[in-house]
Amino acid sequence: MPVFHFWTGRYRFGLTNAAKQRLEVSLVRCIGPIRSIQRQLLHRGFMSKNQDILLEKKHRCGLVTLNRPKMLNALNYDMIAQTETHYIEWAGDADVYGVVLQSSGGRGFCSGGDLKALYEWWKAGKVSTILEKYTSEYQHNWTLDRFTKPH
């Protein structure tokens, strides 16, 4: 049954089983080489190990890697801002078929938002900073809701 998609102004149709299988195969083909290349680059020192989030375009995939294993990959607001920028860029890029979100490892995939930072801002009386960061987070949630490519 077609569903009207308000963001694009078009009707969207559900995927058939064959289309779902083709999508799964293409994602597997895309992700396998990405993980091996990423491991090689980390090992050789070409990618910084201090980055909280790694955003890359590999073949036809946007790749988002959460890289804060000591903090259970909790999202800080810089990570959200970087992700927002790349999602907007990838939305307009016809070469990007979809976006894959992954974790760099550790005990958890993602524990949510960085509550420690919020507490520190509240303790310091930086209420305007808290409101600014929440505004950017909800903007990102809206962007994710309207993102039309598989993610």
Side-chain angles (χ1 to χ4, degrees), residues 18-88:
K20 287 178 187 176
Q21 288 174 349
R22 285 193 304 272
L23 174 64
E24 289 171 6
V25 168
S26 65
L27 286 176
V28 168
R29 286 181 184 160
C30 181
I31 294 171
I34 291 171
R35 287 194 178 147
S36 64
I37 291 168
Q38 185 179 15
R39 276 189 230 107
Q40 291 171 8
L41 291 174
L42 280 171
H43 178 70
R44 294 178 186 165
F46 289 116
M47 291 172 61
S48 172
K49 294 180 184 178
N50 297 328
Q51 290 181 329
D52 292 339
I53 190 164
L54 306 172
L55 298 148
E56 306 171 83
K57 179 182 166 188
K58 293 289 184 182
H59 305 290
R60 294 202 53 176
C61 292
L63 182 64
V64 180
T65 305
L66 303 177
N67 194 30
R68 289 183 78 194
K70 291 182 182 177
M71 301 295 288
L72 296 176
N73 291 317
L75 293 171
N76 63 28
Y77 292 95
D78 292 333
M79 293 167 69
I80 292 170
Q82 290 175 24
T83 306
E84 172 79 9
T85 303
H86 279 77
Y87 264 80
I88 290 170

Side-chain angles (χ1 to χ4, degrees), residues 117-137:
L118 284 177
Y119 177 71
E120 293 297 325
W121 290 328
W122 177 75
K123 237 170 58 171
K126 297 181 179 180
V127 177
S128 61
T129 302
I130 294 171
L131 293 175
E132 176 188 327
K133 300 301 181 181
Y134 265 111
T135 302
S136 69
E137 182 177 351

Side-chain angles (χ1 to χ4, degrees), residues 133-144:
K133 300 301 181 181
Y134 265 111
T135 302
S136 69
E137 182 177 351
Y138 280 99
Q139 170 63 41
H140 181 61
N141 293 341
W142 184 83
T143 301
L144 289 176

